[in-house]
Amino acid sequence: MQTYPQILIADDDPEDVFIMEMMCKELAFTEHIHFVQDGVTALEYLDTLLEKPLPALIILDLNMPRLTGTQTLELLKQHPRYHRIRVIIYSTFLNEIQKQQCINLGAEAFVIKPDTYEEGLEIMQQFHDCSLGNYSFPIAS
């Protein structure tokens, strides 16, 4: 049986992506994750899934070229096919104004990127659990 990614992660930083891929391997769910480099590519990827299940969760880096996480979130929430997908903004730092804007646009949470690998593993596990409906991030993350 073919499986499809449950989580779509859009992040333009190759180092962050490499670390997240390592974490997914360590947590043994690499087949459930698909990475893209920005918001435009995320939307293009979703458009290829006409006959396939959509991801249950989308993680958007806040600061990306072409389309920021906020802009991508807004487009996702306006799209009739994608507006119900859970979206989490993933950022290096907390900006209360941007956080509130993202929550107002429909982001489920605003999660700060971890300082340590161990914290990253915990967050990646929470992302996976969230995609399965077994975890909800506090909005104040």
Side-chain angles (χ1 to χ4, degrees):
M1 182 174 96
Q2 186 173 8
T3 61
Y4 297 98
Q6 295 165 221
I7 303 172
L8 174 62
I9 299 179
D11 196 319
D12 66 308
D13 186 322
E15 187 175 314
D16 284 351
V17 170
F18 177 75
I19 291 168
M20 286 187 281
E21 286 174 335
M22 287 177 39
M23 292 174 184
C24 292
K25 285 179 186 172
E26 187 170 330
L27 295 168
F29 53 76
T30 55
E31 70 278 1
H32 301 287
I33 310 284
H34 183 78
F35 290 93
V36 295
Q37 63 187 4
D38 58 44
V40 171
T41 312
L43 294 168
E44 290 171 351
Y45 172 75
L46 291 171
D47 287 342
T48 70
L49 300 178
L50 294 177
E51 301 296 321
K52 298 173 186 166
L54 293 171
L57 178 65
I58 297 174
I59 311 298
L60 299 173
D61 180 30
L62 184 63
N63 296 308
M64 295 183 290
R66 302 202 302 163
L67 282 177
T68 66
T70 305
Q71 292 167 327
T72 307
L73 168 66
E74 187 169 15
L75 291 171
L76 287 167
K77 293 304 178 180
Q78 291 172 355
H79 195 287
R81 185 160 186 248
Y82 309 142
H83 75 278
R84 287 194 178 111
I85 300 173
R86 299 166 86 178
V87 179
I88 294 174
I89 299 295
Y90 199 42
S91 180
T92 305
F93 60 91
L94 177 61
N95 176 312
E96 285 294 335
I97 294 170
Q98 288 178 319
K99 174 186 169 184
Q100 193 57 52
Q101 180 184 17
C102 291
I103 298 303
N104 291 344
L105 287 171
E108 183 161 318
F110 192 103
V111 176
I112 303 304
K113 292 182 180 182
D115 292 326
T116 67
Y117 188 81
E118 290 75 24
E119 290 172 350
L121 282 172
E122 184 177 329
I123 289 172
M124 289 305 292
Q125 184 63 57
Q126 290 169 346
F127 286 161
H128 185 255
D129 292 345
C130 184
S131 75
L132 298 173
N134 298 329
Y135 183 81
S136 292
F137 280 89
I139 289 179
S141 294

